[in-house]
Amino acid sequence: IVYYAIQSDNSGDAFLGEVLRAANRGVNVRILVDGTINASTSIQRSLRALDTHTNIACKQYNPVHLLKPWQWHALLHNKIMLVDDTHLLTGGRNIGDRFFDVEGYTGPVTYDRDVFVTASAGDGSVMQEMRTFVDRLWTHEATQGVKAAKQPEAELERLLASASRMEGENRIYYEESLEMYATEALPTNKITLIANPIHTGKKEPLVGNAIMRLAENAEDS
């Protein structure tokens, strides 16, 4: 799980609660978030508590260093969920109430999109490309672990309760299955991952350049 922002609200807490449920079933989970946007006390408390679980590891990309202002602008803007190297969710939507417009939420809504991909993880697959990319982010020198939690039990219980409450109040998000999404998917000949550099210095716009080349060479669409 790699996200720019996981907000400390009903949706964010429920999402992390579902991660905890999965870990309790034996699923191994890695969570990587941007270290600037997710610097609030509440989200840090959740990540530190989750990091104490045997099956969960939490890290943050480029947390703010007051003596290195030249790195403050470097943000991890990706949104990625890669599951068993066979299911991929990526796109523009972060985790929070304003992105899901859940029951009882009355604030502004941001309608971002996700892309769901299901494929095998063989050589040349976008799943292998994404796995390599996520591993590079996870082990990058700008990525750091979270601080140790003290008495995490109460926070873990709170996250589980949030997940249960969300499931009871927003059944629409729990009614569809992976199999249903897979049957609605469109077949593709090839999917390629294009990403910008992940270091904290000045970067070449690789994504913009790639899209420009594709546009210039396109003949039909």
Side-chain angles (χ1 to χ4, degrees), residues 27-68:
V27 178
N28 293 312
V29 185
R30 296 189 300 182
I31 304 174
L32 175 61
V33 298
D34 177 75
T36 300
I37 299 301
N38 300 278
S40 68
T41 301
S42 53
I43 188 64
Q44 287 292 318
R45 181 171 56 248
S46 296
L47 294 174
R48 292 171 187 174
L50 289 169
D51 192 62
T52 65
H53 195 288
T54 304
N55 295 331
I56 302 177
C58 298
K59 288 187 176 182
Q60 49 191 340
Y61 173 84
N62 194 35
V64 175
H65 194 304
L66 295 179
L67 299 181
K68 296 181 179 180

Side-chain angles (χ1 to χ4, degrees), residues 98-154:
R98 67 175 295 178
F99 305 101
F100 291 96
D101 195 18
V102 294
E103 187 71 26
Y105 176 69
T106 58
V109 179
T110 299
Y111 293 103
D112 282 322
R113 295 290 183 266
D114 293 315
V115 177
F116 173 65
V117 182
T118 178
S120 62
D123 292 340
S125 167
V126 70
M127 297 299 180
Q128 187 57 52
E129 294 180 16
M130 186 62 81
R131 162 65 63 182
T132 300
F133 179 68
V134 169
D135 286 345
R136 285 178 56 218
L137 287 170
W138 186 259
T139 59
H140 193 269
E141 61 181 4
T143 298
Q144 301 179 18
V146 297
K147 295 181 179 179
K150 297 180 180 179
Q151 299 179 327
E153 293 79 12

Side-chain angles (χ1 to χ4, degrees), residues 66-203:
L66 295 179
L67 299 181
K68 296 181 179 180
W70 57 88
Q71 293 183 356
W72 292 354
H73 69 287
L75 304 176
L76 178 73
H77 210 257
N78 305 87
K79 297 93 179 174
I80 301 167
M81 274 190 276
L82 180 62
V83 182
D84 296 339
D85 292 341
T86 56
H87 296 88
L88 169 66
L89 191 71
T90 187
R93 178 158 56 175
N94 292 289
I95 305 297
D97 288 345
R98 67 175 295 178
F99 305 101
F100 291 96
D101 195 18
V102 294
E103 187 71 26
Y105 176 69
T106 58
V109 179
T110 299
Y111 293 103
D112 282 322
R113 295 290 183 266
D114 293 315
V115 177
F116 173 65
V117 182
T118 178
S120 62
D123 292 340
S125 167
V126 70
M127 297 299 180
Q128 187 57 52
E129 294 180 16
M130 186 62 81
R131 162 65 63 182
T132 300
F133 179 68
V134 169
D135 286 345
R136 285 178 56 218
L137 287 170
W138 186 259
T139 59
H140 193 269
E141 61 181 4
T143 298
Q144 301 179 18
V146 297
K147 295 181 179 179
K150 297 180 180 179
Q151 299 179 327
E153 293 79 12
E155 179 64 13
L156 295 178
E157 288 297 326
R158 189 185 71 83
L159 294 177
L160 288 175
S162 295
S164 297
R165 185 169 59 254
M166 178 67 72
E167 185 173 6
E169 296 176 352
N170 292 269
R171 290 299 307 165
I172 188 174
Y173 290 114
Y174 295 80
E175 292 172 351
E176 297 181 348
S177 64
L178 283 175
E179 290 74 19
M180 179 181 296
Y181 284 116
T183 59
E184 296 177 352
L186 301 175
T188 63
N189 292 325
K190 183 176 177 60
I191 300 175
T192 301
L193 171 66
I194 304 173
N196 280 325
I198 62 175
H199 58 77
T200 58
K202 184 177 180 181
K203 304 177 183 181

Side-chain angles (χ1 to χ4, degrees), residues 10-26:
N10 291 332
S11 299
D13 291 345
F15 175 78
L16 294 179
E18 291 293 347
V19 169
L20 181 54
R21 281 178 170 179
N24 287 339
R25 297 196 306 269

